Amino acid sequence: MDILETDAYDRRQRRNMSCALLFSLLPFFLATGLYFYLWTPDTPASITLAGVKSAPTLLLAAVVLSWNGGQSVLGVMGGLLLSAVGDCCLVWPELFLHGMGAFAVAHLLYSLTFLSSRYAAHSSSSWTRILYPILFLAGGGFYIYIYPFVQKTPNSDILIPAVGVYVALISLMGALAIRTCQTVTLLGSLSFMVSDMSLAMQIFKVTAPMEHGNTIVMVTYYLAQLLIAVGDVKAVENKDDFAKWKRS
């Protein structure tokens, strides 16, 4: 094949892979729609709710495993599984700390994945370098802002340091997402931060109860997990394309 034929073949392959990826994500979209259809503010905590809430994240984990194999177990797939554990825990308010712990380890796994060879580091432009301090300043500023409200909680002696560590980990995850120079991965990380900030403001009663508060949290959360999962699949695909280019 000449260069033009090879280029056309590669474009066809990428288009086919994108269609196949979209098809494999259909169960996630259906499960997400089911959650929003069934959930109401009066829905009581139950095993059923925990299962429906965590199903979209578990389905994303299955997609990442099917595309990337076992290498994702200690990476994005592992982070998605831990996120599903966090989803279940947050159904019951008394398990909030356990849920936050599960999500904290998930962010750590995401961060380690963004540092791996699958996400080849690219030279940062001036505007991306500016994002690093902005993200950490935003995280630190948000922690300072909610600190007085966390102090008012019954178990503030545990929550104050725990929330601080969590904010540091999610800020680190967002900063390392910049390093990947993958738009979907960065948008997923930022969406996760927005979701968690919204949740924290409701949990610690920083704002008055919002009519659509849970919807905001869950829409940005499921979007975040979707973008991070797709970014991980794309990272492996791009690495394979680069390897083929080097061999040619």
Side-chain angles (χ1 to χ4, degrees):
M1 281 193 279
D2 60 26
I3 295 175
L4 289 177
E5 289 176 332
T6 302
D7 186 54
Y9 174 78
D10 287 342
R11 282 202 304 271
R12 231 174 10 252
Q13 285 290 93
R14 283 194 291 270
R15 187 165 57 247
N16 291 339
M17 288 183 70
S18 296
C19 291
L21 178 58
L22 180 60
F23 183 77
S24 66
L25 288 169
L26 286 179
F28 162 79
F29 291 120
L30 291 172
T32 302
L34 179 64
Y35 169 78
F36 286 112
Y37 176 75
L38 294 177
W39 186 88
T40 67
D42 301 322
T43 304
S46 65
I47 296 295
T48 301
L49 177 60
V52 172
K53 185 181 181 183
S54 62
T57 314
L58 289 172
L59 289 168
L60 281 178
V63 170
V64 173
L65 179 63
S66 66
W67 280 82
N68 293 352
Q71 64 180 336
S72 62
V73 172
L74 293 178
V76 168
M77 182 215 166
L80 288 165
L81 290 177
L82 283 164
S83 296
V85 173
D87 289 336
C88 293
C89 290
L90 293 185
V91 168
W92 292 274
E94 61 271 21
L95 295 180
F96 175 76
L97 267 173
H98 299 78
M100 186 168 64
F103 278 114
V105 181
H107 293 318
L108 187 58
L109 287 181
Y110 288 159
S111 298
L112 293 174
T113 303
F114 299 159
L115 283 171
S116 70
S117 59
R118 280 184 288 144
Y119 291 81
H122 300 273
S123 57
S124 300
S125 62
S126 56
W127 74 269
T128 56
R129 283 194 293 268
I130 292 172
L131 281 176
Y132 288 108
I134 288 176
L135 271 179
F136 282 108
L137 285 172
F142 181 74
Y143 179 67
I144 292 170
Y145 177 66
I146 65 171
Y147 182 85
F149 299 92
V150 180
Q151 276 187 312
K152 297 175 184 177
T153 57
N155 51 346
S156 59
D157 55 329
I158 299 174
L159 276 174
I160 287 174
V163 171
V165 171
Y166 186 87
V167 170
L169 285 173
I170 196 170
S171 300
L172 175 64
M173 188 264 291
L176 291 176
I178 300 170
R179 174 188 177 274
T180 69
C181 289
Q182 292 223 41
T183 303
V184 288
T185 301
L186 176 57
L187 290 177
S189 300
L190 293 177
S191 185
F192 216 135
M193 294 180 74
V194 170
S195 176
D196 279 358
M197 286 179 176
S198 178
L199 177 64
M201 291 181 74
Q202 294 175 62
I203 290 287
F204 299 120
K205 298 180 172 57
V206 178
T207 60
M210 294 185 286
E211 183 181 356
H212 302 292
N214 183 73
T215 302
I216 294 170
V217 170
M218 296 309 296
V219 166
T220 50
Y221 169 70
Y222 286 139
L223 177 63
Q225 298 286 33
L226 171 65
L227 293 175
I228 289 172
V230 170
D232 198 54
V233 172
K234 292 291 184 182
V236 174
E237 179 186 333
N238 292 341
K239 183 183 177 185
D240 291 343
D241 287 343
F242 180 70
K244 284 192 291 184
W245 176 80
K246 285 184 69 176
R247 288 196 298 269
S248 62

